[in-house]
Each structure stands twice: as structure tokens, then as C-alpha cells.
Amino acid sequence: MSCRPAQNPLAVQFWLWGQDVLAGYLVAFGFRKYPNPLGKGSSIYRKEGVGLHSSAAWQKTSQGVLVYVRPAEGFFLLEDDSTLPALPRRAETINCAWGLEALHPFVEAYEAWIVQQAGLTYRKGLLSNLPPAARRARTAWEGWVFARPPLSEVMLEYTV
């Protein structure tokens, strides 16, 4: 089941990760950069069971590897991450709400770290310059990322 574009916070998160790559934050957070195994395209960033690529994000879970595929705007569950960023022929489709909930702790920890390292002004600046495709999902991203502590306290200062 695909995520609805205007309600999909990952449209914003992927754009932010792309900007963070340019600023060196993914590597500073502890991700290691690897060449794309397909030989072309974006690099892959990996850290402790989490993988990021311009077309996918994945995380190891007790059920398998949860992967979000941007072109499909959907989540899938795989046995392992050996084919990523390409999706294997057989992949179990996962409900968007479940996928977002499972990915949330990682994103929340990362965003808290970004605010701590770069300051709130950095994120506010990026959010005010979102491209049109991501702009429509900004409210969904804010609700997803700032929904719970510790970032809900930051939300008090967060007005762009």
C-alpha cells in the first residue's frame, strides 16, 4: 500500500537527507558512504542496520528488513538487504502507517541530533526552501517528527 503524497513525511525527509549529505551531516552522524553496487547513481550510506540511498531507506527489524522505496512511495518487508537499493522481485507490501511508525525512532533520533549539531536555524532554513514536491508534505513531516518528546519541546520554538 503506497503512502499518500501529501501525507507522506518521507517526501520531506529524503530531501532533508539530501541536503544533509551535501553539508556532511550523514557522515558526521556515523553513516559510512559506499558506492552504489549497481555501478551508477547515488552513493549508499549505512549505519547500524539502517541504509539510505536517494531512492530508498531501509532498517533491519525483528520481522526482516523494512524498506521504503521512493518511486513506489511504499514500504516493503524483505528477508535481507542484499539487493538494496534495488527491490527484489518478491517483496511483501507493508502498510504505510506501520512502516512510518517503525522508521520513526531512527528519524526522531537523527533529527534531534541535527538540531543539536546544526541548530534549529539550519532545519528551519531548509524547510523554508523545500521544492514543490516536498512542500505539500511539510505539515505531515512536522506532525510526524515533532509528535513526541524530545522534539516536541523543540516545536515550541519552531515557527517558520
Side-chain angles (χ1 to χ4, degrees):
M1 172 186 296
S2 66
C3 303
R4 293 186 206 154
Q7 298 172 346
N8 184 358
L10 291 174
V12 174
Q13 190 65 51
F14 268 85
W15 188 81
L16 293 172
W17 281 330
Q19 301 308 300
D20 293 347
V21 164
L22 298 174
Y25 286 117
L26 281 184
V27 171
F29 187 65
F31 276 92
R32 292 193 60 200
K33 181 179 176 179
Y34 297 93
N36 188 327
L38 303 175
K40 61 179 182 173
S42 310
S43 298
I44 293 175
Y45 291 82
R46 292 180 181 264
K47 177 185 179 180
E48 301 168 3
V50 175
L52 299 175
H53 178 265
S54 63
S55 67
W58 58 95
Q59 174 178 304
K60 291 183 180 178
T61 70
S62 59
Q63 294 87 6
V65 178
L66 174 69
V67 59
Y68 173 79
V69 178
R70 278 180 80 189
E73 289 194 88
F75 285 95
F76 301 87
L77 194 60
L78 311 177
E79 289 182 19
D80 61 51
D81 63 0
S82 63
T83 63
L84 296 171
L87 199 60
R89 293 179 197 258
R90 291 186 182 195
E92 181 184 349
T93 303
I94 298 298
N95 177 283
C96 183
W98 186 89
L100 289 171
E101 184 66 25
L103 196 56
H104 185 266
F106 164 73
V107 172
E108 182 180 53
Y110 177 78
E111 288 299 319
W113 181 86
I114 281 288
V115 169
Q116 181 182 46
Q117 296 298 307
L120 195 53
T121 304
Y122 171 73
R123 262 304 180 252
K124 288 168 76 171
L126 290 176
L127 290 168
S128 67
N129 290 306
L130 287 171
R135 197 174 305 139
R136 64 185 175 185
R138 180 178 171 173
T139 301
W141 181 86
E142 290 170 344
W144 184 56
V145 171
F146 294 118
R148 304 170 231 183
L151 287 177
S152 59
E153 285 91 33
V154 172
M155 188 64 170
L156 296 174
E157 303 172 33
Y158 178 83
T159 50
V160 176

